[in-house]
Coordinates of all heavy atoms in Angstrom, one line a residue:
Y151 N 40.4 -63.0 -5.1 CA 40.4 -63.2 -3.7 C 41.2 -64.5 -3.4 O 42.0 -64.5 -2.4 CB 39.0 -63.5 -3.2 CG 38.0 -62.3 -3.4 CD1 37.3 -62.2 -4.6 CD2 37.8 -61.4 -2.4 CE1 36.4 -61.2 -4.8 CE2 36.9 -60.3 -2.6 CZ 36.2 -60.2 -3.8 OH 35.3 -59.2 -3.9
L152 N 41.1 -65.5 -4.2 CA 41.7 -66.8 -3.9 C 43.3 -66.8 -4.1 O 44.0 -67.4 -3.3 CB 41.1 -67.9 -4.8 CG 39.7 -68.2 -4.4 CD1 39.1 -69.2 -5.5 CD2 39.6 -68.9 -3.1
I153 N 43.7 -66.1 -5.1 CA 45.2 -66.2 -5.4 C 46.0 -65.6 -4.3 O 47.0 -66.2 -3.8 CB 45.5 -65.6 -6.8 CG1 44.9 -66.5 -7.9 CG2 47.0 -65.4 -7.0 CD1 45.0 -65.9 -9.3
P154 N 45.6 -64.4 -3.8 CA 46.4 -63.8 -2.7 C 46.4 -64.7 -1.4 O 47.4 -64.9 -0.7 CB 45.7 -62.5 -2.4 CG 45.1 -62.1 -3.7 CD 44.7 -63.4 -4.3
I155 N 45.2 -65.4 -1.2 CA 45.2 -66.3 -0.1 C 46.1 -67.5 -0.3 O 46.8 -67.9 0.6 CB 43.7 -66.8 0.1 CG1 42.8 -65.7 0.5 CG2 43.6 -67.9 1.2 CD1 41.3 -66.0 0.5
A156 N 46.1 -68.0 -1.5 CA 47.0 -69.2 -1.8 C 48.4 -68.8 -1.7 O 49.2 -69.6 -1.1 CB 46.7 -69.7 -3.2
L157 N 48.8 -67.6 -2.1 CA 50.2 -67.2 -2.1 C 50.6 -67.0 -0.6 O 51.7 -67.3 -0.2 CB 50.4 -65.9 -2.9 CG 50.2 -66.1 -4.4 CD1 50.3 -64.7 -5.1 CD2 51.3 -67.0 -4.9
S158 N 49.7 -66.4 0.2 CA 50.0 -66.3 1.6 C 50.2 -67.6 2.3 O 51.1 -67.8 3.1 CB 48.9 -65.5 2.3 OG 48.8 -64.2 1.8
A159 N 49.3 -68.6 2.0 CA 49.5 -69.9 2.6 C 50.8 -70.6 2.2 O 51.4 -71.2 3.0 CB 48.3 -70.8 2.2
L160 N 51.2 -70.4 0.9 CA 52.4 -71.0 0.5 C 53.6 -70.4 1.1 O 54.7 -71.0 1.3 CB 52.5 -70.9 -1.1 CG 51.6 -71.8 -1.9 CD1 51.6 -71.4 -3.3 CD2 52.0 -73.3 -1.7
A161 N 53.5 -69.1 1.5 CA 54.6 -68.4 2.2 C 54.5 -68.6 3.7 O 55.4 -68.0 4.4 CB 54.4 -66.9 1.8
G162 N 53.6 -69.4 4.1 CA 53.6 -69.7 5.6 C 52.9 -68.6 6.4 O 53.1 -68.6 7.6
K163 N 52.2 -67.7 5.8 CA 51.5 -66.7 6.5 C 50.2 -67.1 6.9 O 49.6 -68.0 6.4 CB 51.4 -65.4 5.6 CG 52.8 -64.9 5.2 CD 52.6 -63.6 4.3 CE 53.9 -63.1 3.9 NZ 53.8 -61.9 3.0
A164 N 49.6 -66.5 8.0 CA 48.3 -66.8 8.4 C 47.3 -66.3 7.4 O 47.4 -65.3 6.8 CB 48.0 -66.1 9.8
V165 N 46.3 -67.1 7.2 CA 45.2 -66.7 6.3 C 43.9 -66.7 7.0 O 43.7 -67.5 8.0 CB 45.1 -67.7 5.1 CG1 46.4 -67.7 4.3 CG2 44.9 -69.1 5.5
P166 N 42.9 -65.9 6.6 CA 41.6 -65.8 7.3 C 40.8 -67.1 7.1 O 41.0 -67.9 6.1 CB 40.9 -64.7 6.6 CG 41.6 -64.6 5.2 CD 43.0 -65.0 5.4
E167 N 40.0 -67.4 8.1 CA 39.1 -68.5 8.0 C 38.1 -68.4 6.9 O 37.6 -69.4 6.3 CB 38.3 -68.7 9.3 CG 39.2 -69.2 10.5 CD 38.3 -69.5 11.7 OE1 38.1 -68.5 12.4 OE2 37.9 -70.6 11.9
A168 N 37.7 -67.2 6.6 CA 36.7 -66.9 5.6 C 37.0 -65.5 4.9 O 37.5 -64.6 5.6 CB 35.3 -66.9 6.1
T169 N 36.8 -65.4 3.7 CA 37.0 -64.2 2.9 C 35.6 -63.8 2.3 O 35.0 -64.6 1.7 CB 38.1 -64.3 1.9 OG1 39.3 -64.6 2.5 CG2 38.2 -63.0 1.1

Side-chain angles (χ1 to χ4, degrees):
Y151 300 87
L152 291 171
I153 290 173
I155 294 172
L157 292 174
S158 293
L160 288 170
K163 298 179 180 178
V165 296
E167 290 184 276
T169 297

